[in-house]
Amino acid sequence: MTGTVRLARDYGLACGTLPAGALDAITDVPGVRVGHLTRTDGALRTGVTAVLPHGGNLYRDKVPAAADVINGFGKSAGLIQVEELGSIETPILLTNTFAVGAGFNALVRHAIRGNPDIGRETATVNPVVCECNDGYLSDIQAMALTEADALEAVAAAVEGPVAQGSVGAGTGMSAFGFKSGIGTASRRLVLDGASFHLGVLALANFGRAGDLVLPDGRRPVPPDVRGPRGERGSVILLMATDIPLESRQLRRVARRGGAGLARLGAWWGHGSGDIALAFTTARRICHDQARDIVERACLNENRIDRLFRAAVEATQEAVLNALCASPAMTGRDGHRRPSLADWLSEREPS
């Protein structure tokens, strides 16, 4: 959908001051891949999105990672081991709440296919699957997403521009009373004279109708608001960078995603599951490492404020892109979400 839809910048909605990457996407981080599987048949408005830190064998060459649970009303899988070991060893799947099990099984099979020794000669595998509830627009009780769907999203993952809006896991999502979905953005930073990136991909399904605050101060109110009116739903933020960071530093960066959400008017209500997961591609953690002691580089902690700002700005823009790229949708039982793009277009100078 990139290139055929208007995003936040096309409406003059600038988030912060740092420069964006060439794609303004999580895939500005070299090696990162994104793929979608979308289901819109019958009463279904759902799907799967896969994010791969690199295109190799993730189980054999893990990446440093960390998660920050902003509000834990969620059913994600794999975050406990990420927290304990500070690494990711599978693709990351985003999907609806009732498809976490199918995604988990799919990632186990995917890992075993590339590593037949898993669970026998070597350790088991820790799939990472995160979710949001798309049940207002989609028949979530159908539990229609399968392992094959999840594997198709993984197989579809590529570098380059990222489709945004009502695609993949974002197909049936809503935010602030508007149709929402998948959005992404990035920021470019210069460290020691070299260029690096921090990118965010957001699955946005949160926020109370009327609470959205645009960067220019306007507060869009969706027409004819229906459905849950509280601060409910969820948001999953995936952050990628090619800056070398320890897992502790990654957790600090991930936590700043919450500030980006707050800029939009979110306050992480009781029924909202808000999770940020960050990883770096700058270093690989070898599963079969033979050495007792390994060397590694990491960012000077006194420079980390630059990444904090990048995380806040890219999070804010990624969510706005998810909203701007999503057309109005009618789903299950006639439930409907209006489009923020329509609201913005109606108020543009003629």
Side-chain angles (χ1 to χ4, degrees):
M1 297 179 69
T2 299
T4 63
V5 297
R6 297 178 68 186
L7 301 176
R9 290 172 182 252
D10 299 314
Y11 292 101
L13 300 176
C15 300
T17 59
L18 294 175
L23 298 172
D24 198 12
I26 194 171
T27 46
D28 278 313
V29 178
V32 174
R33 292 157 165 79
V34 177
H36 300 295
L37 179 285
T38 302
R39 294 283 302 275
T40 56
D41 43 307
L44 298 178
R45 305 289 187 272
T46 194
V48 184
T49 294
V51 176
L52 281 61
H54 62 74
N57 187 327
L58 275 160
Y59 184 77
R60 242 61 205 195
D61 289 304
K62 314 174 201 302
V63 295
D68 187 68
V69 179
I70 302 168
N71 192 69
F73 200 100
K75 289 80 180 171
S76 298
L79 297 183
I80 292 176
Q81 185 166 311
V82 172
E83 175 73 12
E84 183 69 22
L85 301 186
S87 63
I88 287 174
E89 59 188 16
T90 70
I92 304 159
L93 294 185
L94 306 178
T95 188
N96 76 54
T97 309
F98 289 172
V100 170
F104 186 100
N105 288 343
L107 290 179
V108 170
R109 297 188 197 284
H110 181 266
I112 290 174
R113 186 179 304 134
N115 306 273
D117 55 339
I118 285 177
R120 293 183 175 174
E121 289 81 36
T122 190
T124 56
V125 64
N126 182 54
V128 177
V129 188
C130 296
E131 54 78 29
C132 292
N133 181 356
D134 58 15
Y136 183 70
L137 289 172
S138 185
D139 182 7
I140 195 169
Q141 288 188 359
M143 301 181 69
L145 292 172
T146 66
E147 293 179 30
D149 291 331
L151 291 172
E152 187 170 337
V154 172
V158 294
E159 299 178 88
V162 177
Q164 301 183 62
S166 297
V167 294
T171 303
M173 302 300 173
S174 310
F176 297 103
F178 290 99
K179 181 67 188 72
S180 185
I182 291 285
T184 189
S186 72
R187 292 296 182 267
R188 181 173 59 84
L189 305 104
V190 176
L191 298 167
D192 289 336
S195 182
F196 297 90
H197 291 87
L198 184 143
V200 175
L201 184 139
L203 177 61
N205 190 61
F206 69 106
R208 191 174 70 91
D211 282 353
L212 176 62
V213 181
L214 300 181
D216 58 15
R218 288 181 292 171
R219 295 173 173 266
V221 177
D224 192 26
V225 177
R226 297 180 184 276
R229 291 174 178 261
E231 170 71 287
R232 293 185 175 185
S234 297
V235 57
I236 305 298
L237 304 173
L238 301 184
M239 299 184 184
T241 186
D242 52 350
I243 299 170
L245 299 171
E246 298 285 357
S247 61
R248 178 188 57 79
Q249 294 175 313
L250 284 164
R251 185 176 304 108
R252 298 188 71 201
V253 173
R255 186 169 299 142
R256 268 59 187 188
L261 300 177
R263 283 188 176 186
L264 294 159
W267 37 272
W268 321 320
H270 165 70
S272 188
D274 311 307
I275 295 169
L277 178 64
F279 63 86
T280 175
T281 63
R283 179 170 64 89
R284 306 282 179 89
I285 301 172
C286 178
H287 181 79
D288 302 301
Q289 176 62 253
R291 298 184 60 181
D292 292 329
I293 298 175
V294 295
E295 297 179 359
R296 54 197 184 198
C298 70
L299 178 74
N300 177 350
E301 201 88 6
N302 292 323
R303 307 293 189 269
I304 201 167
D305 275 352
R306 305 178 194 179
L307 276 76
F308 290 169
R309 177 179 289 274
V312 172
E313 293 184 8
T315 294
Q316 183 185 18
E317 184 176 349
V319 172
L320 285 174
N321 284 341
L323 286 159
C324 291
S326 298
M329 177 179 284
T330 299
R332 175 183 66 84
D333 296 333
H335 290 177
R336 182 171 174 79
R337 290 296 190 207
S339 169
L340 178 63
D342 292 342
W343 189 96
L344 292 167
S345 296
E346 290 168 0
R347 288 155 179 80
E348 285 185 306
S350 56

